[in-house]
Amino acid sequence: MATIRDVAKRAGVSVATVSRVLNQNGYVNEETERRVRQAMKELNYKPNEVARALFKKTSKTVGLIVPDITNPFFPELVRAVEDVMNIYDYTVILCNSDEKVEKEREYIEVLKQKYVDGVILTTNQFAPEEVEEWDVPIVVLDRPLHERYPSVVADNYEGARLATRHLYEVGCRRIAHIQGPNHVVNAMERFRGYQDEMRALGLGDRQLVIQGNYQLKQAKEAVMAALAEHDMDGIFAGNDAMAVGALKAVQQCGLRVPDDIAIIGYDGIPLTEMTTPELSTVSQPIYEMGAMAARILIKQIEGKPLEKLHYQLPVQLVVRQSTSRRGLT
Amino acid sequence: MATIRDVAKRAGVSVATVSRVLNQNGYVNEETERRVRQAMKELNYKPNEVARALFKKTSKTVGLIVPDITNPFFPELVRAVEDVMNIYDYTVILCNSDEKVEKEREYIEVLKQKYVDGVILTTNQFAPEEVEEWDVPIVVLDRPLHERYPSVVADNYEGARLATRHLYEVGCRRIAHIQGPNHVVNAMERFRGYQDEMRALGLGDRQLVIQGNYQLKQAKEAVMAALAEHDMDGIFAGNDAMAVGALKAVQQCGLRVPDDIAIIGYDGIPLTEMTTPELSTVSQPIYEMGAMAARILIKQIEGKPLEKLHYQLPVQLVVRQSTSRRGLT
DNA sequence: ATACTATGTGTAACCGGTTACACATAGACA
DNA sequence: TGTCTATGTGTAACCGGTTACACATAGTAT
């Protein structure tokens, strides 16, 4: 690997001049620049990003901490972040935290040691004082952390109301909600949306909440248990994976979807189009959320002002077979 | 951020001594070491990995190039790589190539500039001479690149034979194969397995090949078209996504799975358990493949000898509802 | 003619680690 | 007593970039 000194020697100039050509700053004579570029080409010179990072304290690298890439909600988010970062010449270090604060903390430490320029994280588990101490630009994604920190989230509350109302409009009166883990803010917001909409529909005293943890298997079992005890004709699942679990449970009990029980999920992941019947869902603009978080982080890194600190993107009701009953809707 | 010189000053020693404590090499007096560690703790000192990387030409970072994290086959693979790398204190830079050689080449260049210690890649599109020039340890995953380079793949050929034979045993005689893209080696191996098994079953002249590209939508349409023209009672799809596409197409034509047409996929991604009926598939040990590739890369990086250069992992037939007919199997 | 500014280039310190080499001391062995 | 080895520590160069500062020249305004 050729170094800047090799290039300088070959072009008959000093390293400072080569560096100026490289960074397009300072004065460089046209003819000199030509010679330098020629030398670079001949030596196939590529600047060493590590040396550059050491001096500039910036590495053109960002960290992305997600709970688990294996959870089908995240690949698209990750992809979006990677795409945008790539455009601006940043690379992305991927970290899976399994929702464990301790792992998140460790990753932050490692990322800082590598001089990452910023971090996007999907968590709501940190105290703002701790984040402050990290002293690295961050953007939180999918889950609001604290008003101090820029965030990109979807409108969970409104989405939950939409879903609940949709079930009502399709004829459901005994609407159950499968709730996500209660340490996750967006799950709580969706729950709140369900509660408020139920009250607004005059079904406040007919609420039925099933505890889930955003996972298919656990949701399936919880729904099986609930079906044995309670009567219901509609299920609003806190995410799509749990909606699939509910679908399986309902079918396994010999009931028909949507005729006996209508089901709607949340997130809008591709999976929802693959089941039979296809699942209705409240779709979040996943790619757009990731892309926006990336753009905001870059703005922060480059010291540009943010127009807004908190972005809340709209969600959209997607009606498919799992809630399409008897000509209704 | 405290530097090694700050620590040295506080402990009343030279930077060399601090470095020795840090790296546990050279002689250091016990009492001195105690003082140094004390100073580190007081200053909350964390060594700067960038400075270290510059000198050592090694960064405790590896690159992972996959076609598209959004493709449901890859998240588990990526997760496995990340998990193992994490254990050995490496971090992972994730790159999506969209199967484009040009993007792969660019990523390699960027990764090298960052002094990554090695790269895991999922491609079969490079000439060995080019890879040679990169001069960075690599391991290829899922698709063999060249005998020169360590690889971890599953037994695609045998898996395809298993799937085909299974359809036969379940009563199918007109077995179609949805083929993956022909620039992807594993797709071709599966195709070859299908051909050979069909011949071995005495169905050599009953082969029906549908061209797919590993994507659900395209496969669905191709199967729709094929159903209109040909008669078939079994479909072996080159991957699970296409199997779902086939399932949709068959159901949409008013035919029953598995009674009219049995379907089996390939890969064993979680999605196969979410459809109705659940899909039979040939399951690859995805996590294990990723983990093994990571371990091999680390061995290479650390200059340890590899017992074997090429690992071919066994696959497993997973029978579910989509091929369970009339009490057979 | 003088002062000032814009242009162009080189030297060397610096970023924060690592390590070759020099040097010092103490105990062991002949 | 002299030599050798093991132990312990510091100085300074080095990794490969960036940039403050110095210096030189030419053109321009006064």
Side-chain angles (χ1 to χ4, degrees):
Chain A
M1 274 278 118
T3 75
I4 199 171
R5 284 165 233 267
D6 299 328
V7 175
K9 193 170 293 173
R10 180 153 197 131
V13 298
S14 74
V15 294
T17 302
V18 178
S19 180
R20 286 188 194 106
V21 172
L22 221 46
N23 298 289
Q24 320 246 43
N25 58 19
Y27 295 108
V28 179
N29 181 287
E30 235 178 74
E31 162 60 16
T32 311
E33 171 161 357
R34 229 194 32 65
R35 286 213 321 280
V36 170
R37 292 205 182 280
Q38 179 64 26
M40 286 179 178
K41 189 170 292 175
E42 284 168 15
L43 295 171
N44 187 26
Y45 170 74
K46 296 282 185 316
N48 179 324
E49 289 299 331
V50 176
R52 198 175 268 189
L54 178 58
F55 189 90
K56 303 249 245 170
K57 299 189 190 313
T58 174
S59 62
K60 283 281 176 183
T61 306
V62 300
L64 172 58
I65 305 184
V66 298
D68 181 6
I69 184 74
T70 271
N71 174 329
F73 177 70
F74 293 105
E76 196 177 340
L77 213 59
V78 171
R79 177 71 211 238
V81 171
E82 217 262 314
D83 283 354
V84 172
M85 285 301 175
N86 195 221
I87 292 171
Y88 293 91
D89 294 324
Y90 287 80
T91 50
V92 177
I93 293 182
L94 178 72
C95 313
N96 293 100
S97 71
D98 289 321
E99 313 246 4
K100 301 209 178 92
V101 197
E102 208 32 66
K103 270 186 105 174
E104 291 170 341
R105 239 191 287 269
E106 275 169 34
Y107 273 122
I108 292 282
E109 209 54 65
V110 171
L111 292 172
K112 276 177 60 186
Q113 287 180 44
K114 302 211 179 211
Y115 275 159
V116 294
D117 299 335
V119 177
I120 294 179
L121 70 171
T122 306
T123 186
N124 54 245
Q125 309 194 71
F126 286 104
E129 302 80 44
E130 181 170 1
V131 179
E132 191 62 50
E133 267 181 21
W134 295 342
D135 191 33
V136 61
I138 73 151
V139 171
V140 289
L141 182 50
D142 185 43
R143 309 177 188 180
L145 181 61
H146 185 275
E147 46 167 24
R148 269 227 288 273
Y149 300 101
S151 66
V152 178
V153 299
D155 193 344
N156 291 293
Y157 176 77
E158 194 51 37
R161 294 196 67 153
L162 269 179
T164 311
R165 193 173 333 136
H166 172 64
L167 287 174
Y168 179 87
E169 284 168 357
V170 121
C172 304
R173 290 298 175 272
R174 293 179 309 285
I175 302 173
H177 174 56
I178 316 178
Q179 190 184 268
N182 40 36
H183 66 275
V184 178
V185 171
N186 56 32
M188 289 303 101
E189 287 176 348
R190 292 172 200 176
F191 174 50
R192 206 161 50 76
Y194 163 77
Q195 290 183 304
D196 288 359
E197 185 64 27
M198 286 295 273
R199 265 185 235 115
L201 292 169
L203 299 174
D205 53 353
R206 296 259 211 124
Q207 292 181 35
L208 173 57
V209 177
I210 303 171
Q211 185 63 49
N213 63 353
Y214 272 170
Q215 311 256 310
L216 186 151
K217 279 225 167 67
Q218 203 268 347
K220 181 181 166 189
E221 277 157 35
V223 170
M224 291 287 270
L227 283 170
E229 300 212 354
H230 305 280
D231 196 27
M232 59 187 97
D233 58 3
I235 299 179
F236 162 40
N239 72 359
D240 288 330
M242 296 197 295
V244 176
L247 176 61
K248 299 235 141 207
V250 170
Q251 289 176 332
Q252 203 160 311
C253 289
L255 297 167
R256 288 162 309 161
V257 175
D259 297 318
D260 297 322
I261 299 185
I263 299 179
I264 186 166
Y266 204 107
D267 278 349
I269 62 178
L271 171 61
T272 50
E273 292 186 76
M274 303 191 185
T275 54
T276 313
E278 294 185 6
L279 278 170
S280 296
T281 188
V282 175
S283 114
Q284 307 195 54
I286 306 183
Y287 191 93
E288 189 50 32
M289 286 166 65
M292 184 161 280
R295 276 186 237 112
I296 292 177
L297 184 59
I298 290 172
K299 277 201 181 175
Q300 266 207 287
I301 290 171
E302 299 184 345
K304 292 185 188 147
L306 303 180
E307 292 112 57
K308 274 180 20 182
L309 207 52
H310 301 285
Y311 289 81
Q312 186 171 58
L313 276 55
V315 295
Q316 201 183 348
L317 180 67
V318 176
V319 178
R320 300 211 186 88
Q321 299 156 356
S322 71
T323 58
S324 300
R325 311 211 265 188
R326 298 150 268 173
L328 275 163
T329 303
Chain B
M1 273 275 119
T3 75
I4 197 171
R5 283 164 234 268
D6 299 329
V7 175
K9 192 170 293 173
R10 181 156 196 128
V13 298
S14 73
V15 293
T17 302
V18 178
S19 180
R20 286 187 193 106
V21 172
L22 221 45
N23 298 288
Q24 320 245 42
N25 58 20
Y27 295 108
V28 180
N29 181 289
E30 235 179 75
E31 162 60 16
T32 311
E33 171 161 355
R34 230 194 32 65
R35 285 211 325 277
V36 171
R37 291 206 182 280
Q38 178 64 26
M40 285 180 180
K41 189 170 293 174
E42 286 168 13
L43 295 171
N44 187 27
Y45 169 74
K46 296 283 181 324
N48 179 326
E49 289 299 331
V50 176
R52 198 176 266 190
L54 178 59
F55 189 89
K56 303 249 243 170
K57 299 189 190 312
T58 174
S59 61
K60 283 282 178 184
T61 305
V62 300
L64 172 56
I65 305 183
V66 298
D68 181 7
I69 186 73
T70 272
N71 174 328
F73 177 70
F74 293 105
E76 196 177 340
L77 213 59
V78 171
R79 177 73 211 235
V81 171
E82 217 262 314
D83 282 355
V84 172
M85 285 301 174
N86 196 221
I87 293 171
Y88 293 92
D89 295 324
Y90 286 80
T91 49
V92 177
I93 294 182
L94 179 71
C95 313
N96 293 100
S97 72
D98 289 320
E99 312 247 4
K100 301 211 179 88
V101 197
E102 208 33 68
K103 268 186 107 174
E104 289 168 344
R105 238 191 287 269
E106 275 168 35
Y107 273 123
I108 292 281
E109 208 55 63
V110 172
L111 292 172
K112 277 176 61 185
Q113 288 180 43
K114 302 210 179 210
Y115 276 158
V116 295
D117 299 336
V119 176
I120 294 179
L121 71 171
T122 307
T123 185
N124 53 244
Q125 310 194 71
F126 286 104
E129 302 80 45
E130 181 170 0
V131 179
E132 190 63 48
E133 266 180 21
W134 295 342
D135 191 33
V136 60
I138 72 151
V139 171
V140 289
L141 182 50
D142 185 42
R143 310 177 187 181
L145 181 62
H146 185 274
E147 46 167 24
R148 267 227 290 270
Y149 299 101
S151 67
V152 178
V153 298
D155 193 344
N156 292 293
Y157 177 79
E158 194 51 37
R161 294 196 66 152
L162 269 179
T164 310
R165 193 173 331 133
H166 171 64
L167 288 174
Y168 180 87
E169 283 166 358
V170 121
C172 304
R173 290 299 175 271
R174 293 180 309 287
I175 303 173
H177 174 55
I178 316 178
Q179 190 184 268
N182 39 37
H183 67 272
V184 178
V185 171
N186 57 31
M188 289 303 101
E189 287 176 348
R190 291 171 201 175
F191 174 49
R192 208 161 49 77
Y194 163 76
Q195 290 183 304
D196 288 359
E197 185 64 27
M198 285 296 272
R199 267 185 233 114
L201 292 169
L203 299 174
D205 52 353
R206 295 257 211 125
Q207 292 182 35
L208 173 57
V209 178
I210 302 170
Q211 185 62 51
N213 64 353
Y214 272 171
Q215 311 256 309
L216 186 149
K217 280 225 167 65
Q218 202 270 346
K220 181 180 166 191
E221 277 158 36
V223 170
M224 291 287 269
L227 284 171
E229 300 212 354
H230 306 279
D231 197 25
M232 59 186 97
D233 58 3
I235 298 178
F236 161 39
N239 74 359
D240 288 331
M242 296 196 297
V244 176
L247 177 61
K248 297 236 141 207
V250 170
Q251 289 176 331
Q252 203 160 312
C253 289
L255 297 167
R256 289 161 310 161
V257 176
D259 296 318
D260 298 321
I261 299 185
I263 298 178
I264 185 165
Y266 203 106
D267 279 349
I269 61 178
L271 170 60
T272 50
E273 291 186 77
M274 303 191 184
T275 55
T276 315
E278 295 186 6
L279 278 171
S280 297
T281 189
V282 175
S283 112
Q284 307 194 56
I286 306 182
Y287 191 92
E288 188 49 32
M289 286 166 65
M292 185 160 279
R295 276 186 237 113
I296 291 178
L297 184 60
I298 290 171
K299 278 201 178 174
Q300 266 207 288
I301 290 170
E302 299 184 343
K304 291 183 188 149
L306 304 181
E307 293 112 56
K308 274 180 16 181
L309 206 52
H310 302 284
Y311 289 81
Q312 186 172 58
L313 275 56
V315 296
Q316 203 183 345
L317 180 68
V318 177
V319 178
R320 300 211 185 88
Q321 298 156 356
S322 72
T323 59
S324 300
R325 312 212 264 186
R326 295 150 270 173
L328 275 162
T329 305

